[in-house]
């Protein structure tokens, strides 16, 4: 009997983890962390709902934390199987998990100092850097796009990966298996699907033909994105007008993909003369710097149209005035750079990281521009600023918001409603499971798909729900 059971990203957008069961063999697609408000995050502490030691193997779609962030918990729970993914994903997951371990440790120390005095028990960090090192030993030889891999000899179970066009190395996972009647079937899990037309990653591969079961993300199931080209234009205008005022541009960025994409556009502005070669650009995030180097290492996985001859240095991250700011001293020294400058720093929602120091120094200046290029969750400093706060607290100090604030929404790395619909229409699956979405977006997408493809059975699975496939 072949079954699928959902252990995360079921009617929510984080915690991706889907189990395929073939008789006594079990395989999981992703083991992501639950992120967001505490009601969601606490699920990380409640166990998987299955015994990791009884899982035979895992296939990882890409290196975002909401897809790989529970791998150390799998390992701690006794999982000894192999983890399969593309070469860039191995490197990205390793950096993302080590950074997460570091953040968890810092949070723990901070909370312990504050809350123990109040008699509140602080939960131990989910995992440590040591757990990450042990977890990385589980990664088997990396799998390139299109290569077929047999993961369970004897039951005819194979898989291969196709480009998902979401972040570097991201994959759609195609699993060929036999159902209980011995009939050959095909399951396709999209992972996170890109929106297409991006400079760094290729467009997502179209879905394969003859799909029996499609497990598809649905983050933007009820919305279309603003045009990408218009967003790039807006970014350029914001930068050019600030340079004319001889001000500073601050761009809080997520370390993976968004930081590199923004760097690409700044590099193009320098190449085409829209921005003076002399303007210093600081990538002030050790994680983003290390991830950028992974793009250089795995340039074969990038969008070939824009990457020229990477090895000869003819690539988008090699432009005059770009500085990688690694140490805290170098980061502080940026405050002394007078005149126009551009600073990219984490964290993306301004909740921590080096961006907060820059905001403290520059947010109160009228010549400064703050460009927000990513989603800002409720309760974050970023959300307060885009909602028009006149003053915010940074490191306990009130700081006036006098900078010009741009919110540019078109840089999403997820397929929008139209692209998801086109994808599912091309796949024409017999069964469709919508995962990785909020209930409202999923309900809207499910009802539209049901009208367009009346013969497809559409499910929006709940956590731990199980289906025969
Ligand atoms: Zn993702």
């Amino acid at each position: 009997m072949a079954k699928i059971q959902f252990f995360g990203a079921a009617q929510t957008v984080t915690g991706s983890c889907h189990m395929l069961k073939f008789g006594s063999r079990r395989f999981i697609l992703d083991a992501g962390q639950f992120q967001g408000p505490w009601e969601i995050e606490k699920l990380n502490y409640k166990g998987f709902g299955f015994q990791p030691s009884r899982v035979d193997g895992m296939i990882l779609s890409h290196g975002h934390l909401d897809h790989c962030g529970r791998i150390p918990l799998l390992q701690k729970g006794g999982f000894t199987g192999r983890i399969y993914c593309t070469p860039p994903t191995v490197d990205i997951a390793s950096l993302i998990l080590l950074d997460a371990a570091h953040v968890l440790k810092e949070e723990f120390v901070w909370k312990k100092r504050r809350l123990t005095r109040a008699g509140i028990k602080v939960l131990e960090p989910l995992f440590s850097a040591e757990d990450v090192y042990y977890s990385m030993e589980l990664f088997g030889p990396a799998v390139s796009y299109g290569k077929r891999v047999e993961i369970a000899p004897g039951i005819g179970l194979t898989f291969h990966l196709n480009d998902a066009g979401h972040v570097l190395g991201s994959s759609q996972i195609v699993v060929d298996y036999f159902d209980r009647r011995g009939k050959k079937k095909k399951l396709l899990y999209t992972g996170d699907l890109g929106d297409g037309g991006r400079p760094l990653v290729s467009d997502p591969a179209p879905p394969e033909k003859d799909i029996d079961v499609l497990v598809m993300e649905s983050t933007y199931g009820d919305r279309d994105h603003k045009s990408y080209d218009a967003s790039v234009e807006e970014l350029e205008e914001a930068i050019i007008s600030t340079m004319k005022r001889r001000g500073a541009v601050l761009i809080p960025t997520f370390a993976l993909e968004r930081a590199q994409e923004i760097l690409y556009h700044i590099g193009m502005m320098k190449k085409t003369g829209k921005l003076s070669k002399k303007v210093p650009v600081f990538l002030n995030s050790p994680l983003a710097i290390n991830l950028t180097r992974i793009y250089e290492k795995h340039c074969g996985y990038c969008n070939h149209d824009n990457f020229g001859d990477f090895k000869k240095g003819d690539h988008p991250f090699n432009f005059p005035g770009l500085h990688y700011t690694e140490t805290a001293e170098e980061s502080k020294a940026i405050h002394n750079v007078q005149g126009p400058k551009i600073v990219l720093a984490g964290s993306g929602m301004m909740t921590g990281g080096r961006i907060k120091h820059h905001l403290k120094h520059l947010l109160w200046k009228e010549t400064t521009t703050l460009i927000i290029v990513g989603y800002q969750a409720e309760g974050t400093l970023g959300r307060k600023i885009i909602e028009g706060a006149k003053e915010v607290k940074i490191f306990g100090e009130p700081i006036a918001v006098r900078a010009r604030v741009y919110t540019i929404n078109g840089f999403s790395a997820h397929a929008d409603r139209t692209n998801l619909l086109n994808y599912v229409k091309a796949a024409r699956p017999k069964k469709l499971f919508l995962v990785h979405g909020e209930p409202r977006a999923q309900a809207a997408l499910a009802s539209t798909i049901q009208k367009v493809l009346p013969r497809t059975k559409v499910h929006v699975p709940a956590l731990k729900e199980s289906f025969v496939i």
Side-chain angles (χ1 to χ4, degrees), residues 136-150:
M136 293 317 295
E137 286 177 12
L138 299 171
F139 282 71
V143 182
S144 46
Y145 291 139
K147 187 178 180 243
R148 193 172 292 274
V149 178
E150 188 176 20

Side-chain angles (χ1 to χ4, degrees), residues 77-297:
F79 172 75
T80 55
R82 184 169 282 183
I83 301 173
Y84 300 89
C85 62
T86 61
T89 303
V90 179
D91 289 345
I92 292 169
S94 148
L95 286 178
I96 294 275
L97 288 171
L98 277 174
D99 182 70
H102 176 70
V103 172
L104 286 167
K105 189 178 171 187
E106 279 197 338
E107 272 177 11
F108 174 71
V109 171
W110 183 81
K111 279 186 188 165
K112 209 170 171 189
R113 208 182 302 140
R114 268 192 56 183
L115 301 178
T116 311
R117 261 181 274 151
I120 299 168
K121 192 174 176 284
V122 179
L123 288 169
E124 288 287 320
L126 276 174
F127 55 83
S128 65
E130 199 183 359
D131 298 323
V132 175
Y133 288 121
Y134 285 125
S135 302
M136 293 317 295
E137 286 177 12
L138 299 171
F139 282 71
V143 182
S144 46
Y145 291 139
K147 187 178 180 243
R148 193 172 292 274
V149 178
E150 188 176 20
I151 47 173
I155 60 167
L157 186 71
T158 64
F159 81 89
H160 62 277
L161 307 173
N162 293 332
D163 199 338
H166 169 63
V167 295
L168 185 69
S170 63
S171 309
Q172 306 174 40
I173 301 168
V174 185
V175 179
D176 288 285
Y177 64 98
F178 290 95
D179 71 3
R180 67 193 163 116
R181 293 193 188 90
K183 199 178 159 219
K184 203 171 178 196
K185 286 197 165 175
K186 199 182 267 193
L187 175 143
L188 168 55
Y189 168 49
T190 61
D192 286 354
L193 208 53
D195 207 40
R198 296 307 155 93
L200 303 186
V201 290
S202 302
D203 287 353
E208 293 202 2
K209 298 274 171 267
D210 305 318
I211 295 297
D212 296 284
V213 181
L214 176 62
V215 182
M216 187 173 82
E217 71 126 313
S218 50
T219 320
Y220 289 96
D222 59 348
R223 273 168 290 169
D224 278 335
H225 298 318
K226 211 167 122 182
S227 126
Y228 187 75
D229 291 345
S231 300
V232 173
E233 241 170 65
E234 209 181 328
L235 173 77
E236 291 181 351
E237 272 168 29
I239 291 174
I240 291 166
S241 64
T242 316
M243 296 302 111
K244 281 184 187 153
R245 297 199 305 275
R246 301 195 55 75
V249 170
L250 297 182
I251 311 178
T253 47
F254 300 104
L256 175 59
E257 199 74 20
R258 196 64 44 87
Q260 291 78 27
E261 207 170 303
I262 300 297
L263 272 191
Y264 167 85
H265 290 299
I266 295 172
M268 285 308 287
M269 288 177 75
K270 290 211 171 195
K271 227 176 199 173
T272 53
K274 288 179 183 171
L275 179 64
S276 159
K277 288 190 167 64
K278 286 183 193 148
V279 172
V281 178
F282 300 95
L283 182 59
N284 187 9
S285 157
L287 178 61
I289 292 166
N290 288 330
L291 287 165
T292 306
R293 290 189 176 127
I294 289 180
Y295 280 73
E296 295 173 8
K297 179 178 167 191

Side-chain angles (χ1 to χ4, degrees), residues 62 64 66-67 166 192 414:
H62 66 289
H64 272 145
D66 61 330
H67 291 257
H166 169 63
D192 286 354
H414 286 269

Side-chain angles (χ1 to χ4, degrees), residues 179-430:
D179 71 3
R180 67 193 163 116
R181 293 193 188 90
K183 199 178 159 219
K184 203 171 178 196
K185 286 197 165 175
K186 199 182 267 193
L187 175 143
L188 168 55
Y189 168 49
T190 61
D192 286 354
L193 208 53
D195 207 40
R198 296 307 155 93
L200 303 186
V201 290
S202 302
D203 287 353
E208 293 202 2
K209 298 274 171 267
D210 305 318
I211 295 297
D212 296 284
V213 181
L214 176 62
V215 182
M216 187 173 82
E217 71 126 313
S218 50
T219 320
Y220 289 96
D222 59 348
R223 273 168 290 169
D224 278 335
H225 298 318
K226 211 167 122 182
S227 126
Y228 187 75
D229 291 345
S231 300
V232 173
E233 241 170 65
E234 209 181 328
L235 173 77
E236 291 181 351
E237 272 168 29
I239 291 174
I240 291 166
S241 64
T242 316
M243 296 302 111
K244 281 184 187 153
R245 297 199 305 275
R246 301 195 55 75
V249 170
L250 297 182
I251 311 178
T253 47
F254 300 104
L256 175 59
E257 199 74 20
R258 196 64 44 87
Q260 291 78 27
E261 207 170 303
I262 300 297
L263 272 191
Y264 167 85
H265 290 299
I266 295 172
M268 285 308 287
M269 288 177 75
K270 290 211 171 195
K271 227 176 199 173
T272 53
K274 288 179 183 171
L275 179 64
S276 159
K277 288 190 167 64
K278 286 183 193 148
V279 172
V281 178
F282 300 95
L283 182 59
N284 187 9
S285 157
L287 178 61
I289 292 166
N290 288 330
L291 287 165
T292 306
R293 290 189 176 127
I294 289 180
Y295 280 73
E296 295 173 8
K297 179 178 167 191
H298 294 291
C299 52
Y301 280 79
C302 297
N303 183 336
H304 297 293
D305 295 345
N306 293 323
F307 272 69
D309 198 340
F310 221 113
K311 294 219 166 77
K312 286 185 188 157
D314 176 21
H315 63 73
F317 310 135
N318 183 19
F319 58 80
L322 175 61
H323 305 275
Y324 285 170
T325 312
E326 312 239 17
T327 66
E329 283 69 32
E330 287 169 334
S331 176
K332 278 179 205 154
I334 297 173
H335 302 317
N336 303 326
V337 176
Q338 301 302 317
K341 60 185 167 187
I342 301 173
V343 184
L344 283 79
S347 66
M349 297 192 202
M350 297 172 251
T351 46
R354 293 180 176 177
I355 192 70
K356 285 183 85 174
H357 296 277
H358 295 293
L359 289 168
K360 190 182 156 189
H361 276 81
L362 292 165
L363 197 59
W364 56 273
K365 287 189 178 176
E366 278 163 10
T367 51
T368 302
T369 297
L370 175 66
I371 306 179
I372 296 171
V373 289
Y375 175 73
Q376 305 297 311
E378 230 162 283
T380 59
L381 176 59
R383 177 60 85 86
K384 280 178 198 149
I385 294 174
I386 59 176
E387 282 176 351
K390 294 271 179 287
E391 189 181 280
V392 289
K393 270 202 170 166
I394 299 174
F395 301 124
E397 252 180 70
I399 307 285
V401 184
R402 293 204 194 98
R404 295 187 194 192
V405 180
Y406 288 78
T407 308
I408 306 178
N409 288 323
F411 288 103
S412 174
H414 286 269
D416 66 5
R417 178 182 172 277
T418 301
N419 280 334
L420 288 172
L421 270 176
N422 288 339
Y423 184 91
V424 80
K425 277 196 268 182
R428 304 186 79 80
K430 294 189 182 77

Side-chain angles (χ1 to χ4, degrees), residues 434-454:
L434 294 180
V435 294
H436 200 288
E438 297 294 351
R440 208 177 61 179
Q442 293 187 311
L445 186 63
S447 86
T448 314
I449 292 170
Q450 205 62 90
K451 279 179 211 144
V452 189
L453 297 174

